[in-house]
Amino acid sequence: MDRIKKYIDLCNPEEVQVITQENQLKELKNFVIKTGLARRLSVPDSLWFCSNPHDVARSEEATVVASDRDLGPYIKTVPVNEARCLVKELFENSMASRVAYIVPYVMGSLDSDIKKFGVTLTDSPYVVLNMAILNKVTDEALKSLDSAVIGVHSMASMDPTKKKIIHFIEDLEVFSVNTNYGGNVLTGKKCFSLRIASSLGRAQGWLAEHMLVSVVHNPICGRFVFTAALPSACGKTNLAMMNPSEEYARKGWSVTCGGDDIAWIFPKAGRLFAYNPEYGFFGVAPGTSESSNPNFMSAILKGGCIFTNTAVDEELNLPWWEGIGKPYPHKIRTWRNEVIINPNKEEGPFAHPNSRVTVPIENCPVLDPLWRSSEGFEIDAILFGCRRAAGYPLVFKARNWAEAVYFAATLKSERTSAQEGTVGVLRHDPFAMRPFFSYHIGDYLRHWLTIGESLSPQPSVYFVNWFRKDSNSMFVWPGFGENIRVLEWVIKTTKGVSTACIDSLYGLIPARDDLSLPEGVLYEHLFTIDVDDFEKELEENEHFLKALGSKCPEELWSVHESLKAMCKKVL
Ligand code: OXD
Ligand code: MN
């Protein structure tokens, strides 16, 4: 226990409990209810928490990697010695007169080669209860302490100015302090499964990505596996477990889900295999309804869930949020824990826009039976998505692997409530990984190119944008179950059934008659590309590539130059 003991000594809790048993979790649930930290809802075995109003989203500002090297764009670094001093300062006595919980867990299946262990020390019952859903608690982790990722989390004084999430990548250690919100504190999630794992993956020849894993069962090829990276709060959970529209369901289309947030991807014999290392979902609640995501709604209602910062219908004792598809409750408890009678819609939102539901993955009615298999999912196609009101096509296919890496590296998306900052502003989000990089992006791009070289055939790579708006600011594409039409084109194109693609500035787009559009939706509204906008985009891309300096792979400069040349031809 040496790797943990020194931090217990530093944090100085009153008592230490090692959590390995179901009955301890039950007791902890009773404890949080008795002490008013949470409330039991009428969803079976489910709890409602609300966080501090200043602690409602992942904080990129407070997230750092301890390193003496410059790690390039988007990674905030703190010199290692300084970071160690910071840990000492921030955690000293931080758990005084509190209970510290030790949560040993595994990511990935216990019987698979890809599994990794983690051990988290925390003074937050909220963290323990969430981690027990998202990860598999097992004392096996305590037997592999040397190679486990150690997470130390303390609410400390919850002083927002002292919020920090510090990663020591090589030492496999993460520290999170003065916060008690999801992605900052569930150290198994972004900190381990993406930041630490992607660095391990670079050294060991695999990838850790911000991707869902899904299987489309279809009349064209039977089973088709895709992974998809979308920035936070852009519909990954909806896409991961979508119900195809009725028309397609009747024709035999369905989707099963392997995971909704993180994929560890391994090359084997020239193919790529994806594993979801998590055991639960941490989905955005607002907008989730019977019509947008019936499978997630049904998973939620099965119970065993944690609701964070949703509102509550006081009369029914049920969670409520904007877009749930039910009327405003007569008596509502807001995410700020205030009760309002006959709420006026204008005073909302009553659920925080980034409120979340933590759900056991096995609740998912369309969970793919292979989700925990040790073989993983053999990938047929990789998708990247973004949220953009203008200019970016509904779907396109990269012409080759280098172009795929280029377009993923230069992805831009409107900011959502999942991050602190102004919603709606377009920001560069390479690979939908911007907040999760732990090593230089130039090296990350080189790693993707190298992995690509080992593949045969290389999976096709597509880019999607469900969020184009018309001149009245209305979404052009209906999305949700109709996204199956795009997946149909993806499958037909990958399998060579469709060959009528059109060369565009953004890769290959569907020919007009090759993508089945819902009635009333116009092809032009989805695929028109403004050359001037594209040129501007190339200028921004050029700044980014230049910022990578000598670390920018030559292949990406070649793609860039050929796009510039294409642009000139069109002009
Ligand atoms: C998440 C996120 O919580 O990406 O999954 O913010
Ligand atoms: Mn995510």
Side-chain angles (χ1 to χ4, degrees):
M1 287 292 259
D2 276 4
R3 287 189 74 203
I4 298 279
K5 191 176 172 310
K6 59 181 174 191
Y7 298 121
I8 297 177
D9 291 345
L10 175 66
C11 300
N12 188 26
E14 189 172 275
E15 186 192 328
V16 178
Q17 287 181 23
V18 183
I19 304 285
T20 52
Q21 310 291 328
E22 218 25 69
N23 67 327
Q24 292 176 292
L25 293 166
K26 233 186 212 157
E27 266 174 37
L28 202 56
K29 284 183 192 169
N30 290 336
F31 170 79
V32 292
I33 291 163
K34 217 168 70 199
T35 51
L37 286 173
R39 152 172 177 179
R40 202 179 275 291
L41 295 186
S42 296
V43 176
D45 191 26
S46 294
L47 299 174
W48 178 75
F49 284 86
C50 49
S51 70
N52 276 15
H54 59 72
D55 192 36
V56 291
R58 269 187 296 97
S59 172
E60 290 172 24
E61 214 17 63
T63 301
V64 301
V65 171
S67 176
D68 296 329
R69 279 170 294 139
D70 171 15
L71 298 184
Y74 307 140
I75 304 180
K76 288 184 73 163
T77 56
V78 173
V80 177
N81 285 340
E82 203 179 300
R84 283 286 168 202
C85 292
L86 206 55
V87 166
K88 187 161 181 310
E89 186 189 310
L90 291 169
F91 283 85
E92 195 150 39
N93 287 320
S94 66
M95 298 185 187
S97 69
R98 291 190 189 148
V99 177
Y101 305 93
I102 293 178
V103 188
Y105 63 94
V106 66
M107 309 278 331
S109 172
L110 258 180
D111 63 9
S112 81
D113 297 341
I114 64 107
K115 69 172 176 293
K116 309 235 167 296
F117 291 111
V119 179
T120 287
L121 171 74
T122 176
D123 55 7
S124 164
Y126 173 78
V127 168
V128 178
L129 293 171
N130 273 281
M131 289 193 72
I133 297 174
L134 294 172
N135 313 286
K136 185 175 180 58
V137 174
T138 169
D139 54 11
E140 290 293 314
L142 297 172
K143 298 177 197 153
S144 303
L145 214 52
D146 283 349
S147 58
V149 172
I150 303 297
V152 183
H153 163 252
S154 176
M155 295 181 286
S157 62
M158 288 295 287
D159 176 348
T161 66
K162 293 188 175 159
K163 187 187 294 187
K164 277 275 177 266
I165 302 96
I166 308 172
H167 301 74
F168 294 85
I169 301 292
E170 284 87 19
D171 295 337
L172 306 180
E173 290 183 352
V174 182
F175 297 84
S176 166
V177 64
N178 289 306
T179 165
N180 203 23
Y181 168 78
N184 291 337
V185 296
L186 307 175
T187 38
K189 205 166 174 58
K190 309 298 188 183
C191 306
F192 175 174
S193 308
L194 289 177
R195 296 195 190 96
I196 291 198
S198 61
S199 280
L200 288 175
R202 183 194 173 206
Q204 298 166 359
W206 54 280
L207 302 163
E209 298 299 326
H210 193 205
M211 287 182 175
L212 63 87
V213 186
S214 280
V215 184
V216 186
H217 307 268
N218 66 88
I220 299 166
C221 65
R223 190 180 157 88
F224 185 90
V225 174
F226 72 99
T227 61
L230 286 97
S232 307
C234 286
K236 278 211 308 300
T237 307
N238 293 345
L239 180 60
M241 56 185 81
M242 74 186 272
N243 268 359
S245 63
E246 247 173 61
E247 180 190 334
Y248 276 73
R250 262 198 317 273
K251 289 192 277 186
W253 290 73
S254 64
V255 171
T256 48
C257 173
D260 82 327
D261 196 40
I262 289 161
W264 288 353
I265 300 177
F266 293 78
K268 198 164 88 187
R271 302 289 290 153
L272 285 180
F273 292 81
Y275 299 77
N276 163 22
E278 297 191 286
Y279 284 77
F281 306 118
F282 185 61
V284 176
T288 305
S289 70
E290 275 306 326
S291 66
S292 70
N293 194 340
N295 292 320
F296 198 44
M297 283 306 275
S298 129
I300 291 169
L301 294 177
K302 266 199 186 156
C305 300
I306 294 177
F307 298 87
T308 307
N309 292 344
T310 64
V312 175
D313 181 329
E314 282 291 287
E315 282 166 347
L316 300 176
N317 194 34
L318 287 175
W320 187 93
W321 48 79
E322 280 73 14
I324 194 172
K326 293 184 193 153
Y328 281 69
H330 165 63
K331 187 176 175 192
I332 197 168
R333 185 175 293 274
T334 73
W335 71 273
R336 291 174 183 273
N337 208 1
E338 297 154 350
V339 173
I340 304 179
I341 312 280
N342 286 334
N344 171 358
K345 195 173 162 177
E346 310 308 317
E347 293 167 46
F350 300 111
H352 188 277
N354 190 37
S355 52
R356 300 285 180 138
V357 199
T358 320
V359 185
I361 195 169
E362 303 212 45
N363 284 13
C364 178
V366 293
L367 186 61
D368 192 274
L370 284 189
W371 81 278
R372 241 325 129 257
S373 81
S374 46
E375 293 95 61
F377 292 89
E378 186 172 343
I379 297 175
D380 294 298
I382 297 173
L383 271 59
F384 289 92
C386 59
R387 176 189 285 266
R388 292 189 62 171
Y392 202 88
L394 172 70
V395 59
F396 68 90
K397 180 185 176 196
R399 282 168 277 243
N400 53 54
W401 189 262
E403 192 176 81
V405 173
Y406 176 91
F407 279 122
T410 53
L411 207 68
K412 296 173 196 69
S413 191
E414 289 159 25
R415 204 183 252 277
T416 67
S417 55
Q419 308 101 21
E420 289 180 345
T422 315
V423 170
V425 176
L426 202 62
R427 74 165 193 165
H428 179 208
D429 192 350
F431 285 75
M433 278 285 283
R434 175 178 170 144
F436 312 123
F437 289 116
S438 62
Y439 65 93
H440 198 292
I441 301 181
D443 294 330
Y444 174 93
L445 300 175
R446 166 57 56 215
H447 186 45
W448 260 80
L449 290 164
T450 307
I451 295 257
E453 281 161 21
S454 72
L455 305 176
S456 164
Q458 289 170 330
S460 305
V461 182
Y462 298 83
F463 293 78
V464 297
N465 170 31
W466 317 134
F467 300 95
R468 267 178 94 136
K469 289 187 178 162
D470 62 18
S471 49
N472 297 320
S473 291
M474 301 297 285
F475 287 114
V476 177
W477 183 248
F480 306 111
E482 297 294 7
N483 290 338
I484 197 70
R485 294 171 189 271
V486 171
L487 293 175
E488 178 184 33
W489 182 75
V490 162
I491 294 172
K492 282 190 340 195
T493 308
T494 307
K495 295 291 172 189
V497 180
S498 263
T499 46
C501 294
I502 299 177
D503 237 332
S504 86
L505 293 172
Y506 279 108
L508 303 170
I509 58 173
R512 182 184 294 269
D513 296 329
D514 216 28
L515 173 69
S516 147
L517 295 179
E519 234 179 86
V521 177
L522 293 183
Y523 179 88
E524 285 70 20
H525 286 176
L526 296 163
F527 291 102
T528 309
I529 300 162
D530 184 299
V531 186
D532 291 335
D533 286 352
F534 190 81
E535 263 212 316
K536 250 185 252 139
E537 188 114 358
L538 287 183
E539 274 168 34
E540 287 164 19
N541 296 349
E542 192 156 323
H543 283 302
F544 168 62
L545 297 184
K546 278 190 182 146
L548 302 182
S550 60
K551 290 222 183 247
C552 182
E554 265 314 308
E555 294 91 319
L556 300 190
W557 276 117
S558 304
V559 173
H560 184 71
E561 291 308 326
S562 68
L563 291 174
K564 261 167 95 173
M566 267 178 96
C567 223
K568 283 221 171 72
K569 255 200 223 156
V570 180
L571 274 170

